[in-house]
Amino acid sequence: QSALTQPASVSGSPGQSITISCTGTSSNIGFYNLVSWYQQHPGKAPKLMIYEATKWPSGVSNRFSGSKSGNTASLTISGLQAEDEAHYYCSSYAGGGTMLFGGGTKVTVL
Amino acid sequence: QVQLQESGPGLVKPSETLSLNCTISGGSISRYDWIWIRQSAEKGLEWIGRFDKSGVPNINPSLRSRVSVSMDTSKNEFSLKLTYVTAADTAIYYCARDPGSHGHDWYFDVWGRGTLVTVSS
């Protein structure tokens, strides 16, 4: 199965909102609500930011929000801050006991 | 607070077997599912497989012929073996936790720091 499709990069100024898309198919994102988003700073492990498409883990800022429509999931970062500069990855359950990750999006704070 | 720590050789020769362990501290290994994920520049993040709290392994079909996972509850440790490695298996290998609160949750809320494994002669 192919990886989920994310834009390579997204940028915004401090205080702005940005949205990262994650496009799959009717066999993964479109069928299951099991979409997650991870933030990864250089040299660090990924950190869970959103799970089940729209839910926040404990301790994650509500400036991060998730949504899903059809075969596309999205992560919105509101009130962009310098510390948000990182790579972001989506993932989805793909049925048959397997899962997929997106290729990652580099977020740059201008 | 649960912490995960990967351990194993950083260099493996082609055609040999890569063996990694993940030690869990601060929590019980028996209550959750445990996951192996790897990350390389070529393939990005790739789910390798899980060992769930029922003791059932589940492996990525693309790696199934070469991967085995296991758990040692007495050591609070779970393990990965990947046979017949090639340069394409060079990656950072992470262990992670799936809360498994609804069967398999398919999200990972605790991660190890990762360990770089290079396949080279």
Side-chain angles (χ1 to χ4, degrees):
Chain A
Q1 295 189 40
S2 301
L4 306 174
T5 301
Q6 299 181 234
S9 63
V10 173
S11 62
S13 300
Q16 286 187 329
S17 293
I18 61 169
T19 296
I20 303 167
S21 61
C22 172
T23 301
T25 70
S26 57
S27 298
N28 41 66
I29 291 177
F31 194 83
Y32 302 98
N33 216 38
L34 299 174
V35 176
S36 307
W37 289 92
Y38 299 89
Q39 176 192 65
Q40 187 177 34
H41 288 107
K44 301 292 188 182
K47 174 187 175 183
L48 179 68
M49 305 302 284
I50 295 288
Y51 68 98
E52 293 177 6
T54 61
K55 298 180 180 178
W56 288 280
S58 174
V60 170
S61 169
N62 59 9
R63 295 189 299 105
F64 294 83
S65 61
S67 63
K68 193 187 86 163
S69 178
N71 298 337
T72 298
S74 299
L75 175 71
T76 297
I77 308 175
S78 305
L80 199 61
Q81 299 179 2
E83 67 210 48
D84 300 331
E85 187 161 292
H87 279 87
Y88 291 82
Y89 296 89
C90 61
S91 71
S92 174
Y93 180 56
T98 190
M99 67 172 296
L100 296 172
F101 283 99
T105 299
K106 171 81 168 93
V107 167
T108 301
V109 181
L110 301 171
Chain B
Q1 183 175 350
V2 175
Q3 293 187 314
L4 310 182
Q5 179 65 59
E6 302 90 349
S7 60
L11 181 64
V12 183
K13 290 183 168 56
S15 81
E16 294 190 344
T17 296
L18 180 164
S19 296
L20 295 175
N21 292 322
C22 178
T23 302
I24 295 100
S25 58
S28 170
I29 194 172
S30 303
R31 293 180 57 193
Y32 303 98
D33 293 2
W34 302 99
I35 310 297
W36 286 103
I37 290 166
R38 67 183 182 181
Q39 185 173 30
S40 64
E42 292 72 29
K43 294 185 179 179
L45 287 166
E46 182 178 26
W47 176 76
I48 299 172
R50 77 166 63 230
F51 198 87
D52 74 16
K53 55 183 175 290
S54 300
V56 177
N58 179 22
I59 309 300
N60 185 328
S62 69
L63 297 169
R64 191 169 289 153
S65 63
R66 298 194 294 132
V67 166
S68 62
V69 294
S70 60
M71 183 189 297
D72 187 335
T73 55
S74 67
K75 296 181 180 179
N76 238 33
E77 188 175 271
F78 72 109
S79 302
L80 167 71
K81 289 190 189 302
L82 176 64
T83 61
Y84 302 106
V85 298
T86 70
D89 296 311
T90 294
I92 298 173
Y93 286 75
Y94 294 100
C95 56
R97 185 182 81 174
D98 178 326
S101 52
H102 303 105
H104 300 165
D105 288 338
W106 294 101
Y107 64 87
F108 314 124
D109 61 347
V110 181
W111 293 65
R113 298 176 73 172
T115 186
L116 174 63
V117 178
T118 301
V119 178
S120 175
S121 55

